[in-house]
């Protein structure tokens, strides 16, 4: 689910039904407004399907400086309020794309200036502090394709510039591999900063063509760059082993970027992926 309202996505009722039928017990809120935003109704809808919410998701552009704080906080506080009401503990924070998320048009430079890096790191620390103090939630920042926190170099720069007591990572294994990163190495190097996981894979052959031809992320997804495990990279068994060696409790949300796709396609993939991850010891 990429957008709050899109006729190329299945209705939220079907989404919840299929998640439960596929054997999963936890979900994220996803794009705010896709699922019901009334806590009482959402609690009823998830509860009768045996589902619990682990996190909400917000989008930020904090590299643009203090002038975007008020608009950012308006969005974040709205999502955080619902996340807290659902007794979840995390906010997944996705940096803004430097391409338009529907047209793939370039909307700002893909690299940040030194000043923008300072705005990003100090803004995320402020966000982590405010979200914890006001809502009791922890933020986990999601390195993502076509954002400024993407490659190994940029992820390390971001982590080194931020306070571990305020800001940690949501490691998305698919996005990190898409951007050339090694998830096991990241877990082993920055284990104390891994606060949350998104488990997915990329097709290495499609990815090679995407990189060679500079294909934007949206069109790359339409080509099938995010694929069903165990057909891609990274190998998820070693990722899970590395995460388990941290000896901490981590949520691991199963995902596959498939927008847009036929409405009947995700469900069998979700069932097979859950069985596969269980076979890896998850």
């Amino acid at each position: 689910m990429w957008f709050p309202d899109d006729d190329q996505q299945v209705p939220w009722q079907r989404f919840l039904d299929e998640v439960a039928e596929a054997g999963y017990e936890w979900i994220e809120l996803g794009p705010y407004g896709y699922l019901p935003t009334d806590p009482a109704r959402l609690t009823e809808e998830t509860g009768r399907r045996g589902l619990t919410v682990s996190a909400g998701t917000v989008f930020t552009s904090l590299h643009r400086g203090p002038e975007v704080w008020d608009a950012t906080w308006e969005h974040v506080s709205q999502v955080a309020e619902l996340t807290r009401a659902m007794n979840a503990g995390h906010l997944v924070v996705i940096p803004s794309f430097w391409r338009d998320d529907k047209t793939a048009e370039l909307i700002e430079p893909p690299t940040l200036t030194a000043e923008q890096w300072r705005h990003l790191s100090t803004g995320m620390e402020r966000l982590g502090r405010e979200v914890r103090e006001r809502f009791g939630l922890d933020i986990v920042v999601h390195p993502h394709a076509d954002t400024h926190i993407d490659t190994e170099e940029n992820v390390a720069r971001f982590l080194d510039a931020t306070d571990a007591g305020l800001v940690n990572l949501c490691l998305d294994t698919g996005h990190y591999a898409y951007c050339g990163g090694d998830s096991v190495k990241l877990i082993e190097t920055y284990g104390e900063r891994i606060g949350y996981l998104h488990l997915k894979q990329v097709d290495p052959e499609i990815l090679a063509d995407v990189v060679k031809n500079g294909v934007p992320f949206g069109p790359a997804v339409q080509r099938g760059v995010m694929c069903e495990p165990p057909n891609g990279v990274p190998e998820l068994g070693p990722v899970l082993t590395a995460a388990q060696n941290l000896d901490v409790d981590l949520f691991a949300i199963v995902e596959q970027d498939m927008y847009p796709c036929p409405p009947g396609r995700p469900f069998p993939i979700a069932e097979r992926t859950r069985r596969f991850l269980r076979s890896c010891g998850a």
Side-chain angles (χ1 to χ4, degrees), residues 6 11 19 33 63-64 87 93-94 110 122 126 154 165 173 181 197 205 212 214 234 247 262 268 277:
D6 192 295
V19 167
H63 66 284
R64 295 175 185 166
N87 296 313
V93 181
I94 300 179
T122 58
R126 181 182 179 186
N154 285 339
T173 59
L197 297 172
E205 292 186 3
K212 178 181 177 181
D247 197 27
L277 289 171

Side-chain angles (χ1 to χ4, degrees), residues 220-236:
V221 167
Q222 294 178 34
R223 295 187 184 189
V225 72
M226 296 293 179
C227 65
E228 177 182 346
N231 302 318
V233 295
E235 188 178 350
L236 292 177

Side-chain angles (χ1 to χ4, degrees), residues 2 5 7 13 24 58 64 70 80 103-104 119 141 143 173 203 222 234 256 268:
W2 279 18
D5 184 21
D7 59 10
Q13 296 93 335
Y24 297 91
V58 296
R64 295 175 185 166
D70 288 344
T103 68
H119 288 323
V141 178
T173 59
D203 183 313
Q222 294 178 34
Q256 184 175 334

